[in-house]
């Protein structure tokens, strides 16, 4: 029996009853950025405590097969150095990674702000194709240069 004044299609809506169309509850907007930050911080904490120079991490498969350094070679050791505040050492291991870290932090901040309705920062994925092509060329040039056997580029190898 229905209360007086209620109709059969009466629905009680509570503040916490925001169901996803598939029947699942929708997570708060901040959970995505928080999960990314937690993963990055966990990785940095692991690398701060475990020195990749002592082993325990898999070798780069590209380097193992070819003997050449890929653009990512030295990234774990560079991150370990960064967590210890050794910027010069990190740059010596992988300068491209050291330059990419502030860009990745910016991308995360823009994502976090966008997710929670904060101020909008320019989105890097909307960069002109010429800039993206330039970044690809810089990465390829770094890849080639760090594998040259003689100076001045031999210092780019990790």
């Amino acid at each position: 029996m229905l209360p007086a004044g209620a109709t059969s299609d009466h629905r009680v809506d509570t503040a916490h009853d925001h169901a996803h169309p598939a029947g699942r509850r929708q997570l708060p907007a901040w959970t995505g950025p928080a999960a990314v930050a937690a993963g990055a911080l966990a990785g940095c904490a692991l690398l701060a405590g475990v020195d990749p120079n002592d082993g325990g991490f898999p070798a780069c498969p590209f380097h193992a097969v070819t003997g050449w350094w890929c653009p990512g070679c030295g990234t774990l050791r560079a991150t370990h150095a960064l967590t210890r505040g050794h910027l010069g050492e990190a740059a010596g291991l992988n300068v491209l990674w050291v330059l990419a870290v502030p860009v990745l932090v910016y991308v995360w901040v823009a994502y976090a702000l966008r997710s929670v309705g904060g101020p909008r920062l320019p989105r890097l994925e909307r960069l002109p194709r010429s800039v993206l092509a330039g970044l690809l060329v810089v990465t390829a040039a770094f890849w080639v240069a760090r594998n040259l056997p003689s100076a001045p580029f031999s210092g780019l190898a990790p």
Side-chain angles (χ1 to χ4, degrees):
M1 182 140 220
L2 297 172
T7 62
S8 61
D9 62 19
H10 177 75
R11 181 175 170 216
V12 176
D13 188 20
T14 61
H16 64 278
D17 187 26
H18 296 288
H20 189 270
R24 298 179 309 201
R25 291 192 187 272
Q26 189 173 11
L27 296 173
W30 56 265
T31 54
V36 171
L41 290 174
C44 287
L46 173 67
L47 287 171
V50 179
D51 188 351
N53 293 304
D54 296 338
F57 290 95
C60 171
F62 180 81
H63 183 59
V65 170
T66 66
W68 295 343
W69 305 110
C70 79
C73 283
T75 300
L76 287 175
R77 291 175 284 150
T79 304
H80 174 75
L82 286 173
T83 63
R84 305 251 178 207
H86 303 294
L87 183 61
E89 179 185 346
L93 292 164
N94 193 320
V95 68
L96 197 60
W97 173 245
V98 172
L99 295 173
V101 168
V103 175
L104 293 173
V105 169
Y106 174 88
V107 168
W108 178 82
V109 168
Y111 165 53
L113 290 173
R114 194 169 48 253
S115 296
V116 298
R120 303 259 180 198
L121 297 177
R123 295 173 70 163
L124 294 184
E125 62 267 21
R126 296 215 173 118
L127 290 173
R129 288 182 189 232
S130 59
V131 172
L132 296 175
L135 292 172
L136 185 60
V137 167
V138 166
T139 302
F142 176 70
W143 193 345
V144 169
R146 72 187 330 209
N147 286 291
L148 295 174
S150 59
F153 301 112
S154 58
L156 293 174

